[in-house]
Amino acid sequence: MRPIFSLALLMLLSTTQSLVAAEVHEPTDSLTIKTLVAQPPTRLMKPLILDSINASGQPFKWDMLLNNRTKIPNRDELSQHFEVNKENHFIWPTPESNTDLYQLSTAIRADKYTVASLVVKSTARFVVLLDNKKIGTVTTIPDSFKTAKQKVIPLKLLPEKKYTLDIKLLAVAKELQPEMSLVLVVKNDTTQITTSSSVTIGPNIKGRYQLYNTVYGNRVSDLSISPSGNYLMTSYMNKYDKKHSNSYTTITDLKKQQVVFTDEGGRSLSWMPKKDILYYTVTGIDGYDLINLDVKTLDEKTVAKNIPEAKVTLIPASDYILLYKKVEARKVTSPLKRINNHHDFEPTARTTYVYSLYNLKSGVEQPLTFGYRSVSPVAFTSDGKKMLLMKQTATPTKRPFSTNTLLELDLESFQVDTLIADEPFINNAAYSPDNQQIVLTGGPEAFNRIGMNCGKHKIPNNYDTQAFIMDRQTKKVTPISRDFNPSISFLTWNEGDDNLYFSAQDSTRQKVCRYIPNTQKWERLPLRGDIIRTFSISNDGKNAAYYSVGGSSSTKAYTYNTKKELSNLYADPMKKTLDGMVLGKIVPEIYKSTDGTLIDGYICYPPEFDPSKKYPMIVYYYGGTSPSTRVMEMYYSAQLFASRNYIVYVINPSGATGYGQEFSARHVNAWGKKTAQEIINGTKQVIANHSQVDKQHIGCLGASYGGFMTEYLQTQTDLFACAISHAGISLLASYWGEGFWGVGYNGVAAADNYPWTNKELFTEGALFKADKIHTPLLLLHGTADTNVPIGESIQLYNALRVLGRTCEFIQIKGENHHIMDWDKRVLWHNTTMAWFARFLQQDNRWWNSLYPTIYAE
């Protein structure tokens, strides 16, 4: 039987569900941890002692139980809370027999990069974990608390990262009563910072958005509604860490509102074109077996055995399936390689796809295409008798350096009809439900510029995708989106309502729009969320499903009634994670340029924003011609920057798609002049309109074209206290000649201009204006970048070093245009934030810890 507790001890062991308020501390050197939360203790028994020693020659000790794996409890399982006594000590009872394991927890968050030590003094054995990683342990017990030695555990806390501090403590019978003190000692080096760190400690403090949250966690990854609209297939990806993840798919009966089937086997499930039946392939004895799954009965049926190993697409109303597989290019064994055209620099340029038809009844495979060039199937007629194929031909002497030919293949006779020959600006096609029309998408210059509407500009931005409808018999093409501002991509031509559905880049948002042929009108569907990622509609057009993300939200899945125009939330797998955070408020920020154009943008305030304070600001802008959208789950997220106590200004200056053809055409043959001034003036307006902005501490950053813009901006203004360019272009001529995408991208951005025809344009960039740069500039670049070769940063770094300017150059080994390796991405992100902390928060501790000086200049 346990001993009778004192009233004070019983109060400490209260099992109330409510947690105490966070302990917020002003800058100081010593912070006592006063509150811990826990589960009820777990009773551990002494194991059966078969021998005096174990296989390692050690006798049994109670502290060995600390090494056994224990589940780290969830926060909602921590029902007990403990507070220190008058001496700032925690005290727990001694069990009558055996031992009690206490799992205790709190959280720590520092506003700046903080070097600290956790000082622990205890009469009991313990292990300390920080974010589930062991950082300190004590396995010996003292004679008394007074004689107990301090355990000093060094810590380095990143800015605004919420750390979970867990302690496993053993209370052993007939030993000293467990007593512990926990003190966080903060080292504030006044030579490296202007203000001390402020640390918050408490079990219920909320976190802030971190780089980890942009990738890890449970999210909707795809969804698809059944042909009838009665069932919904939803796929999820739950990423735990770099090595561990779990993907699964659910099938929901929408009428009953219940999940009828869950697949955790990683099968690639797809709906049949006309039935509420799923199909997938499994490995057979000699090839793949094709399986059907009836979601009503959950019966599975093998449709075909031992089909060729390839990816499978069902052809509507047909006994055939389409097979396709990738064929790697023949390896060049010679140390020399002949380059055929500018596309041939790319590693996958000589990779092709081979297509064939497979007869499910006869089991005979019919090759569909032959050759070394890929021909892409893009659509089938509703009766499955004909299909559209797109053939690309390189045109190295004429912009856009390739053309597409649209072919119609009769699958019974194999006769081919060329519907569109050598059109340079189209990229996709699909049949109407009655097969009498074809919808096409492409740039405004497609079909002799019939879809062009860019005002005074002679050349449009061909990344601003438009839609066209072609009569299949007359082959007459009609533009349907020239007066519709969003840049669009085709989704489906629905047979139930005869409307065309498009994904539409609409300013900072990605929406779903439909075109109604009868009225020739465009409509934006009133869907929820800033960015609609996937949209799926039933064959009758009455029901749909989609999932979206936003500037302050993760993947949320909805069902949608098209008649009532009502959305119903179906899944929100990241809700619990985000509920545990405090996010910044996002508000629009519109700037009116000198020519009267409204330049779109938005502000993201820091979490727990105090309007009476001053904050440094980060300015971010688009990295190509697509606008900077309201997406939280990206590594240039406004929420990510704001979480470190910055006001963030995101601006979409001239040239971005999604605002109409005239606006996007400003990107063509401009390369920074107008855009830079809009960024400067927009930033000045934010300063004027928001008194909380510390105008002496404003930074900017961008990547790719945005990196070019960062570098170029510093030649035009001294507005910024520091700047960051990732994979930036420092000279247009060298990027045009060396980047794998240089010629192709400039087929749009520098259309009909070349280094020998427009020297002024192709000397744009910061390199030839390096002497005008005085802003501290950080250059980041992957060593394997094939889009913007690393030489673009090398040459500007050399120029600025010769000029004696403040410039740092960090190379990311082995990474291409995007930093994909997670560990490298963390270091890259920390480098970015440490640079801003150095110049915008006047705190160089983080930077110096990452990049200590190793030699004298």
Side-chain angles (χ1 to χ4, degrees), residues 466-749:
Q466 305 296 306
F468 309 84
I469 291 180
M470 183 181 77
D471 184 279
R472 188 175 161 205
Q473 300 300 320
T474 65
K475 298 184 181 178
K476 179 184 176 182
V477 177
T478 303
I480 62 172
S481 63
R482 66 189 306 272
D483 298 315
F484 187 58
N485 282 344
S487 177
I488 57 181
S489 58
F490 177 70
L491 294 175
T492 186
W493 196 329
N494 185 259
E495 65 180 68
D497 58 15
D498 198 35
N499 293 332
L500 291 81
Y501 291 83
F502 295 84
S503 177
Q505 182 63 67
D506 193 7
S507 65
T508 61
R509 294 174 170 87
Q510 188 83 24
K511 294 297 186 180
V512 172
C513 299
R514 64 183 170 197
Y515 178 74
I516 306 171
N518 290 339
T519 61
Q520 299 182 4
K521 300 287 186 180
W522 285 89
E523 293 180 349
R524 292 169 173 84
L525 300 189
L527 308 181
R528 296 183 188 175
D530 294 323
I531 308 296
I532 311 301
R533 284 274 171 84
T534 296
F535 179 83
S536 176
I537 190 167
S538 61
N539 286 357
D540 61 10
K542 295 180 180 179
N543 295 293
Y546 64 95
Y547 80 89
S548 63
V549 297
S552 303
S553 61
S554 184
T555 56
K556 294 183 179 181
Y558 299 88
T559 55
Y560 179 68
N561 185 305
T562 60
K563 298 298 182 184
K564 297 180 180 179
E565 296 188 337
L566 291 177
S567 293
N568 180 54
L569 180 64
Y570 165 73
D572 186 5
M574 283 290 285
K575 183 181 188 305
K576 185 176 180 180
T577 299
L578 294 181
D579 283 348
M581 296 179 187
V582 54
L583 300 173
K585 181 181 179 181
I586 294 177
V587 297
E589 182 69 28
I590 309 299
Y591 157 67
K592 190 173 183 178
S593 68
T594 54
D595 65 2
T597 304
L598 296 180
I599 304 300
D600 194 17
Y602 58 90
I603 296 274
C604 184
Y605 290 105
E608 300 161 313
F609 174 69
D610 183 347
S612 68
K613 293 183 178 180
K614 292 278 189 182
Y615 292 86
M617 184 168 75
I618 295 174
V619 181
Y620 177 68
Y621 25 80
Y622 64 75
T625 191
S626 297
S628 299
T629 55
R630 298 180 184 228
V631 179
M632 183 170 65
E633 294 168 341
M634 59 176 287
Y635 35 85
Y636 291 108
S637 162
Q639 291 285 3
L640 194 57
F641 297 139
S643 72
R644 270 44 173 251
N645 297 309
Y646 296 100
I647 292 174
V648 182
Y649 173 40
V650 180
I651 181 173
N652 283 315
S654 289
T657 57
Y659 296 92
Q661 288 189 42
E662 191 282 327
F663 193 86
S664 66
R666 299 179 186 186
H667 184 73
V668 180
N669 291 316
W671 280 94
K673 293 179 180 178
K674 186 177 182 65
T675 305
Q677 197 57 53
E678 289 174 351
I679 294 171
I680 293 168
N681 291 343
T683 302
K684 289 180 178 178
Q685 176 182 283
V686 172
I687 296 170
N689 291 347
H690 301 268
S691 60
Q692 300 86 4
V693 174
D694 180 354
K695 63 182 180 181
Q696 302 302 319
H697 295 99
I698 299 174
C700 63
L701 84 159
S704 194
Y705 180 88
F708 160 86
M709 184 53 59
T710 291
E711 298 167 8
Y712 184 85
L713 276 168
Q714 311 323 307
T715 71
Q716 307 296 306
T717 183
D718 60 0
L719 179 64
F720 301 103
C722 68
I724 299 176
S725 168
H726 174 79
I729 300 162
S730 63
L731 181 64
L732 182 54
S734 53
Y735 167 63
W736 178 87
E738 295 183 31
F740 283 8
W741 301 352
V743 172
Y745 179 74
N746 278 290
V748 175

